[in-house]
Amino acid sequence: MQQRLAFGERAGQQVRRIGSGFGYEGERPALMGPRCARVHGFSLHAQTQIPAHRRDQLERLIRYTARGAVALERLQADANGDLLYTFTHPWSDGTTGSKLSPLELLEKLAALVPLPHVHLVRYSGCLAPHSALREAIIPTPRQQGVDGEETPRGTPYWPWARLLKRVFALEMGTCPFCQRGVLRLIAVITQGEVISKILRPLKLSADPPPIAPARSRQETVDWVA
């Protein structure tokens, strides 16, 4: 997080940057725009505003903040085995990318992995789970633009068909033949013999794809007592 390395031959040193500027430890907070500041490699952007009950704008903001931390198409290896990560836009100091060794990249990625059983999003104030004002500010399903059968309030459960439509834009609740009928779940079959009896006459494979064994790229190490 502080742009310093903890492991490897360059432990304690700063991440190597590509470009004209490299920053310095005595950097002071710089105002980059209205409600926007930068200091020590961190940027604070508090200019984005979302009107009340605009769930579409809120979803677009959440999708933007929840995107992947690393874009693989901008990650390349050089002739020395180091990894070059190019930024989409140059920084204000002229930095256009970072140079990391494979171990340094793993270190930075490991820092982004959240701890187990820790909430990634915490709400406080009137948005806290036990706040008495929470019911007054959370929009109703009708204000959220939810169509069809509404999920009972007070429960986080969403039907699987609604989740597939929301995340992957797959319409699983509509009949594929008439495009008007509504499909519903009538049974869940988990027995392998029953699944085979149903799929075999339809000439469909009832066997799951084989799982390849884990492969290790580590070299064999001979231990000497």
Side-chain angles (χ1 to χ4, degrees):
M1 292 300 182
Q2 298 180 355
Q3 296 294 318
R4 290 185 179 273
L5 303 173
F7 305 100
E9 299 178 354
R10 302 184 61 254
Q13 302 182 24
Q14 292 186 342
V15 175
R16 291 167 290 182
R17 299 182 181 179
I18 304 172
S20 59
F22 295 89
Y24 54 95
E25 295 184 357
E27 180 184 5
R28 296 182 179 180
L31 187 64
M32 309 303 297
R35 300 183 182 87
C36 299
R38 178 179 58 83
V39 59
H40 294 301
F42 290 92
S43 60
L44 174 64
H45 184 92
Q47 182 63 19
T48 302
Q49 301 178 5
I50 299 177
H53 308 315
R54 286 304 304 268
R55 307 295 292 183
D56 55 337
Q57 295 184 14
L58 179 60
E59 180 179 353
R60 184 164 57 250
L61 178 62
I62 293 176
R63 288 181 179 272
Y64 172 76
T65 56
R67 72 192 190 282
V70 178
L72 297 180
E73 60 272 11
R74 290 191 275 114
L75 183 65
Q76 297 179 352
D78 62 4
N80 298 326
D82 292 328
L83 301 175
L84 305 179
Y85 187 76
T86 307
F87 301 151
T88 305
H89 303 287
W91 290 359
S92 58
D93 60 359
T95 304
T96 59
S98 298
K99 179 185 291 186
L100 301 168
S101 68
L103 180 60
E104 295 170 357
L105 178 62
L106 292 177
E107 172 192 329
K108 295 304 177 184
L109 294 179
L112 301 176
V113 179
L115 297 176
H117 309 294
V118 174
H119 294 288
L120 301 183
V121 179
R122 296 178 180 271
Y123 296 97
S124 59
C126 58
L127 289 175
H130 298 287
S131 173
L133 300 176
R134 183 179 175 88
E135 294 294 333
I137 62 174
I138 294 181
T140 63
R142 179 175 299 178
Q143 292 172 335
Q144 298 181 30
V146 178
D147 299 329
E149 183 179 355
E150 297 183 356
T151 303
R153 301 188 63 182
T155 174
Y157 173 76
W158 276 30
W160 63 273
R162 184 181 177 189
L163 288 174
L164 290 176
K165 180 179 180 180
R166 180 75 168 181
V167 179
F168 301 105
L170 297 177
E171 185 60 58
M172 304 298 297
T174 304
C175 177
F177 300 101
C178 66
Q179 300 296 329
R180 292 192 302 268
V182 178
L183 301 178
R184 61 186 179 90
L185 186 65
I186 59 175
V188 178
I189 303 175
T190 59
Q191 296 84 359
E193 297 180 357
V194 179
I195 295 176
S196 299
K197 291 181 179 180
I198 296 176
L199 296 181
R200 298 294 184 189
L202 299 176
K203 297 182 179 180
L204 298 176
S205 177
D207 300 324
I211 300 178
R215 293 176 296 178
S216 175
R217 297 183 179 180
Q218 299 180 356
E219 297 181 358
T220 303
V221 178
D222 296 330
W223 297 94
V224 179

